[in-house]
Amino acid sequence: MDLDKSMIGIASEPYSAVVEQEHVAQFAQAIGDDNPVYVNEAYAKTTAYKGTTVPPTFLVALGSNAKFPLKLDFKRMLHGEQEFIYHHPVRIGDKLDCTMTVTDVYDRVGKSGTMQFLVLDTNMTTADGALVAVSRNTIIYRQAQKEAK
């Protein structure tokens, strides 16, 4: 499958993710970030966050539950870029309703030929619909390999 602009707007089934203390602590340990704002509520209340929050890149761990309707060839995919746009701090115990959507498709010519780019935004909202954060993932989709004869 090649990518084209008609894919913009295609979305995953909505799914929910609960931000659990143990998961946040494990994530922080895995990335080597021992900031107490992620695990120590008493300390975190004295900060600008006014409570425990998650490491900035934690949202990537919440995107793996998406059931996405596009059938992409994983062998052609490279991770291009990841961006996190926060509107509110994400808190331990938050239940986030998530939907992943194709927001852009474009081509760029590089040394090895034309590459396609797929931009996926995962919007994360509260139960009342308030946007908490967007996890934006840009995937580089390489050209299909020609079969040898």
Side-chain angles (χ1 to χ4, degrees), residues 21 24-41 43-44 47 49 52-57:
Q21 177 64 63
V24 172
Q26 289 172 341
F27 186 90
Q29 182 180 18
I31 63 170
D33 191 341
D34 60 359
N35 189 329
V37 77
Y38 310 133
V39 294
N40 184 327
E41 183 68 25
Y43 169 79
T47 70
Y49 294 107
T52 52
T53 188
V54 300
T57 57

Side-chain angles (χ1 to χ4, degrees), residues 42-140:
Y43 169 79
K45 283 183 178 182
T46 69
T47 70
Y49 294 107
K50 305 294 184 212
T52 52
T53 188
V54 300
T57 57
F58 177 78
L59 298 181
V60 75
L62 301 180
S64 60
N65 294 329
K67 291 183 181 166
F68 205 65
L70 291 179
K71 301 301 178 215
L72 300 170
D73 182 354
F74 291 110
K75 292 182 251 171
R76 294 175 59 189
M77 294 170 58
L78 295 172
H79 185 271
E81 183 175 279
Q82 188 78 41
E83 179 181 0
F84 303 98
I85 305 157
Y86 282 87
H87 298 274
H88 302 285
V90 174
R91 305 262 183 228
I92 306 303
D94 281 354
K95 179 182 178 215
L96 301 176
D97 297 319
C98 307
T99 304
M100 182 185 292
T101 306
V102 176
T103 57
D104 200 6
V105 175
Y106 58 93
D107 295 344
R108 292 260 167 88
V109 177
K111 292 178 185 174
S112 61
T114 301
M115 297 181 293
Q116 296 182 300
F117 291 77
L118 176 69
V119 181
L120 302 170
D121 281 6
T122 302
N123 287 347
M124 301 178 180
T125 61
T126 59
D128 62 2
L131 183 62
V132 175
V134 178
S135 175
R136 179 168 293 147
N137 184 10
T138 302
I139 296 169
I140 301 168

Side-chain angles (χ1 to χ4, degrees), residues 4-19:
D4 64 66
K5 294 272 187 193
S6 71
M7 296 174 170
I8 294 173
I10 293 175
S12 71
E13 294 178 24
Y15 65 96
S16 294
V18 176
V19 180

